[in-house]
């Protein structure tokens, strides 16, 4: 991407991290776990298959011990990230063209709107039919799902402020230079928003594809453990999915801040 | 529209003729930037609007010319035409002899809204370098950027982001960006219009110094009469609808000018008086809005 700023954050990382941890919020979370544990142990919550958090921890240990978790997590992450990365390339490229070339936008917008209105989940059986029970099918689904937010945010980010375009004209920048030095950096903050939304939806659709299609990864693990009546392990899987989503988003934000410090600061999203 | 169908061939010298009100006073005989019979019709929601009609201007090299006019008189439109940002409906614009069809080489426009004109993701230094990155190697670029920043007194703030600076400083960054390209003509669209009075005065003096140093031709659009008289070699007042040059007034005040003493001099006050009159501020009467027969 253009304008990559090599300057890393000037705040030392340990201090920055400490500033980001919300002690009160964490305490509430721990308290919630405690209440859950208590409610299940005392019989206040009476479901046949609701394990207390302590059992979930044990279940997590079992999953790690058998190596099921590592395999499933690696598969799901590989698929979700591949689909997302593909969507990132396609979405930013196509979004730039759609945002910049008026006729292309006019000819394709109706089709795009129609496709977008189709719930993405409805696309999963289609993909299964086309690509079979394969990782490729999952990647196609994840990519399709992530493409939309990335594409739409790129298109809207490309509507650069007219004055900046005039600045480029007045300084006699070439057309590629206007795109590279003005339009793309001006759109960066919004493209990053699209990438974040795309990443989380790519993970969601990967799980769905694994639940109803390809028997692999975390999605299949959840369904499999539920059917095998192992709620502790199933909840452990849910927990891992949640953590994976949070970690992926955080990693993306750190990477974006390192790469596009100036652009994100300018948009009020810097760290 | 008196001269709308003049030939558009290349030519140097002041083709506008000495009898027209906007003609050059010919400081050294060669035009830097000029326009003949320029008319602009803009299509708006309420139909076509004739903004400018038959504007003749000829600016000599190194001259400082201000364009004044009431709000909505077409000053900015005229500057955009000169800068090649807006095509003239009729007439031609020439810059150093060639007909202008887009932003010309060596002509840089400085906009009023500095906030939207700077790239917020670039530091001051990289903003100033924007226009010379393609044509210069790194060493020359750094040298020219430093030179421009020193001229506007922002050498110390080179590594800040523009949005961390005050409004006056941001406008100086935009001026430095223009200066770094070593322009022959600087077109300034109410550059100090959004600044407070003290900042404005200090930037006026800085601009005066820079122009003295670089001998750049300046066309300066403003609605501030005092500013126009204080800075200029010549003041042009736009008048009428569609607007044309209503008054062209030479400002033969001694240079360098001084905010206090120049503005106290009888000559200054007399010139200022004439400009106010041309803008329709009749003496002893409140300013009227609308159409006027100009002086």
């Amino acid at each position: 991407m253009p304008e990559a700023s090599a300057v890393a954050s000037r705040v030392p990382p340990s201090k920055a991290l400490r500033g980001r941890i919300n002690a009160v919020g964490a305490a509430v979370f721990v308290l919630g776990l405690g209440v859950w544990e208590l409610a299940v142990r005392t019989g206040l919550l009476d479901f046949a298959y609701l394990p207390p958090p302590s059992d979930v921890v044990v279940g997590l240990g079992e999953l790690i011990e058998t190596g099921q978790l590592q395999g499933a997590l690696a598969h799901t992450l590989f698929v979700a990230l591949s689909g997302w990365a593909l969507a990132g390339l396609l979405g930013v490229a196509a979004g730039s063209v759609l945002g910049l070339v008026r006729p292309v936008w006019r000819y394709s917008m109706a089709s795009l709107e129609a496709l977008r209105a189709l719930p993405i989940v409805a696309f999963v059986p289609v993909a299964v039919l086309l690509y079979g029970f394969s990782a490729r099918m999952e990647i196609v689904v994840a990519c399709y799902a992530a493409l939309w937010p990335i594409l739409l945010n790129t298109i809207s980010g490309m509507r650069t402020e007219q004055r900046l375009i005039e600045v480029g004209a007045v300084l006699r920048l070439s057309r590629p230079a206007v795109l590279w030095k003005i339009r793309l950096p001006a759109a960066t903050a919004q493209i990053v928003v699209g990438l974040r939304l795309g990443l989380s939806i790519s993970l969601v659709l990967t799980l769905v594809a694994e639940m109803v299609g390809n028997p692999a990864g975390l999605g299949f693990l959840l369904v499999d453990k539920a059917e095998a009546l192992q709620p502790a392990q199933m909840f452990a899987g849910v927990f891992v999915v949640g953590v994976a989503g949070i970690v992926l988003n955080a990693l993306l934000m750190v990477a974006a801040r390192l790469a596009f410090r100036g652009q994100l600061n300018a948009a009020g999203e810097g760290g | 529209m008196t001269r709308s169908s003049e030939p558009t061939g290349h030519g140097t010298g002041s083709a506008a003729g000495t009898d027209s009100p906007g003609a050059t006073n010919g400081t050294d005989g060669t035009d830097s930037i000029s326009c003949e019979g320029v008319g602009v019709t803009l299509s708006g929601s309420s139909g076509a609007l004739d903004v400018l009609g038959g504007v003749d201007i000829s600016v000599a090299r190194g001259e400082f010319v201000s364009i004044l006019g009431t709000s909505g008189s077409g000053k900015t439109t005229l500057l955009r035409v000169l800068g090649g940002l807006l095509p003239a409906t009729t007439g031609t614009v020439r810059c150093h002899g060639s007909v202008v069809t887009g932003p010309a080489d060596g002509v840089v426009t400085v906009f009023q809204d500095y906030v939207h004109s700077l790239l917020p993701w670039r530091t001051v230094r990289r903003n100033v370098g924007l226009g010379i990155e393609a044509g210069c190697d790194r060493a020359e670029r750094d040298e020219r950027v430093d030179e421009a920043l020193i001229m506007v007194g922002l050498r110390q703030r080179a590594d800040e982001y523009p949005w961390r600076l005050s409004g006056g400083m941001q406008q100086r960054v935009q001026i430095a960006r223009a200066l770094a390209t070593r322009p022959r003509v600087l077109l300034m669209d109410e550059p100090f219009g959004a600044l407070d009075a003290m900042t404005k005065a200090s930037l006026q003096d800085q601009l005066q110094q820079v122009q003295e140093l670089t001998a750049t031709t300046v066309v300066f659009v403003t609605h501030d009469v005092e500013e126009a008289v204080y800075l200029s070699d010549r003041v042009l007042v736009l008048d009428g609808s569609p607007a044309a040059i209503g008054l062209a007034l030479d400002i033969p005040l001694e240079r360098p000018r001084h905010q206090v003493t120049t503005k106290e001099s009888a000559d200054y006050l007399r010139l200022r008086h004439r400009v106010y009159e041309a803008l329709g501020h009749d003496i002893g009467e409140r300013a009227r809005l609308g159409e006027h027969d100009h002086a």
Side-chain angles (χ1 to χ4, degrees):
Chain A
M1 292 297 278
E3 302 287 318
S5 159
V7 193
S9 174
R10 277 180 202 147
V11 187
S14 63
K15 196 178 170 192
L17 197 64
R18 227 179 297 137
R20 280 182 202 287
I21 288 178
N22 176 351
V24 187
V28 169
F29 182 73
V30 171
L31 190 74
L33 286 179
V35 170
W36 176 7
E37 180 84 34
L38 225 75
V40 175
R41 295 267 177 225
T42 56
L44 202 66
L45 273 176
D46 187 23
F47 291 99
Y49 295 112
L50 181 65
S54 53
D55 283 6
V56 175
V57 174
V58 174
L60 185 65
E62 290 163 4
L63 280 180
I64 294 171
E65 218 169 295
T66 56
Q68 282 170 289
L69 180 72
Q70 292 89 320
L73 182 64
H75 176 86
T76 298
L77 285 183
F78 168 73
V79 166
L81 287 173
S82 308
W84 170 76
L86 210 59
L89 287 176
L90 283 173
V92 172
S96 303
V97 172
L98 281 165
L100 295 178
V101 189
R102 197 74 194 162
V104 177
W105 187 83
R106 210 199 316 273
Y107 279 106
S108 49
M109 215 51 204
S111 318
L112 287 179
E113 285 295 334
L115 271 179
R116 190 166 71 105
L118 185 79
I120 297 164
V121 178
F123 187 72
V124 176
V126 178
V128 171
L129 208 59
L130 291 179
Y131 295 99
F133 302 118
S134 62
R136 197 167 93 176
M137 176 275 289
E138 288 184 63
I139 291 177
V140 168
V141 169
C143 174
Y144 181 77
L147 188 61
W148 290 106
I150 297 173
L151 183 73
L152 296 175
N153 275 287
T154 305
I155 292 174
S156 107
M158 280 294 157
R159 287 194 206 106
T160 317
E161 202 147 357
Q162 193 51 38
R163 183 45 47 86
L164 281 182
I165 301 305
E166 286 183 2
V167 165
V170 157
L171 296 173
R172 294 169 65 87
L173 264 53
S174 63
R175 283 175 70 94
V178 169
L179 177 65
W180 199 246
K181 293 177 179 175
I182 294 180
R183 284 190 184 266
L184 272 174
T188 299
Q190 199 156 1
I191 292 175
V192 169
V193 169
L195 288 173
R196 285 174 75 179
L197 292 170
L199 184 57
S200 59
I201 198 155
S202 149
L203 183 62
V204 170
L205 264 291
T206 300
L207 292 172
V208 172
E210 289 168 350
M211 286 174 180
V212 304
N214 192 24
L218 284 174
F220 178 69
L221 184 99
L222 294 183
V223 178
D224 189 41
K225 293 303 171 190
E227 283 171 354
L229 300 185
Q230 287 181 308
Q233 291 191 9
M234 193 200 72
F235 269 89
V238 172
F239 171 75
V240 169
V241 168
V243 171
I246 293 169
V247 169
L248 283 183
N249 185 49
L251 284 178
L252 176 59
M253 276 324 281
V254 168
R257 285 205 188 97
L258 284 178
F260 313 117
R261 182 160 168 267
Q263 286 96 317
L264 294 186
N265 274 336
E269 288 193 33
Chain B
M1 237 148 283
T2 51
R3 297 168 179 273
S4 54
S5 56
E6 294 238 340
T8 56
H10 291 219
T12 47
S14 61
T18 43
D19 57 337
S20 89
T24 178
N25 60 349
T27 28
D28 66 358
T30 41
D31 285 352
S32 184
I33 192 162
S34 64
C35 66
E36 285 170 53
V38 161
V40 173
T41 305
L42 297 176
S43 50
S45 49
S46 52
L49 180 69
D50 293 327
V51 181
L52 298 173
V55 177
D56 300 325
I57 293 178
S58 175
V59 181
R61 290 188 190 199
E63 197 182 10
F64 195 120
V65 171
S66 286
I67 299 172
L68 265 167
T70 49
S71 184
S73 61
K75 319 183 278 283
T76 295
T77 305
L78 177 56
L79 198 75
R80 289 171 65 81
V81 170
L82 291 176
L85 289 170
L86 183 74
T89 314
T90 58
T92 46
V93 177
R94 283 201 182 80
C95 182
H96 304 109
S98 346
V99 175
V100 167
T101 50
D105 192 16
V107 180
V108 181
T109 306
V110 172
F111 300 100
Q112 178 181 9
D113 51 341
Y114 43 81
V115 176
H116 296 121
S117 305
L118 297 173
L119 313 186
W121 56 86
R122 284 183 173 226
T123 58
V124 167
R125 172 185 300 287
R126 301 199 57 231
N127 259 291
V128 174
L130 180 65
I132 53 174
E133 282 166 354
C136 298
D137 60 46
R138 183 176 284 272
E140 191 190 349
R141 183 210 313 167
D142 287 348
E143 188 192 313
R144 281 168 72 165
V145 167
D146 280 341
E147 184 189 277
L149 282 172
I150 288 166
M151 272 195 263
V152 300
L154 278 179
R155 181 74 184 73
Q156 313 301 321
R157 310 300 290 268
D159 297 315
E160 293 264 24
Y161 284 97
W163 38 269
R164 300 183 52 133
L165 305 178
S166 67
M169 288 182 189
Q170 290 185 39
Q171 191 57 294
R172 276 146 68 189
V173 174
Q174 204 197 162
I175 293 171
R177 183 170 67 191
L179 292 175
T181 68
R182 306 225 170 120
R184 288 189 285 179
V185 181
L186 206 52
L187 304 176
M188 307 184 89
D189 184 10
E190 299 192 39
F192 309 144
L195 303 173
D196 64 88
M198 305 243 296
T199 310
K200 196 171 180 171
S202 86
L203 286 201
Q204 285 166 358
D205 288 340
Q206 203 161 47
L207 179 61
Q208 197 179 201
Q209 282 165 19
V210 166
Q211 205 231 353
E212 203 175 336
L213 206 69
T214 59
T216 311
T217 308
V218 180
V219 180
F220 190 95
V221 162
T222 179
H223 57 253
D224 182 337
V225 174
E226 315 242 343
E227 178 170 76
V229 175
Y230 179 67
L231 287 172
S232 309
D233 297 315
R234 192 151 52 104
V235 171
L236 307 175
V237 178
L238 282 182
D239 196 20
S241 178
I245 305 296
L247 171 80
L249 186 66
D250 287 330
I251 309 290
L253 295 171
E254 203 178 297
R255 284 187 186 273
R257 295 174 186 170
H258 188 269
Q259 290 285 357
V260 179
T261 52
T262 301
K263 288 185 175 177
E264 283 170 348
S265 74
D267 285 339
Y268 173 85
L269 294 172
R270 184 178 49 76
L271 292 162
R272 198 189 67 168
H273 185 121
R274 288 209 46 199
V275 176
Y276 271 123
E277 258 178 1
L279 281 166
H281 295 264
D282 291 332
I283 311 304
E285 209 184 304
R286 289 184 70 88
R288 279 179 290 158
L289 296 173
E291 302 254 338
H292 274 267
D293 291 331
H294 54 74

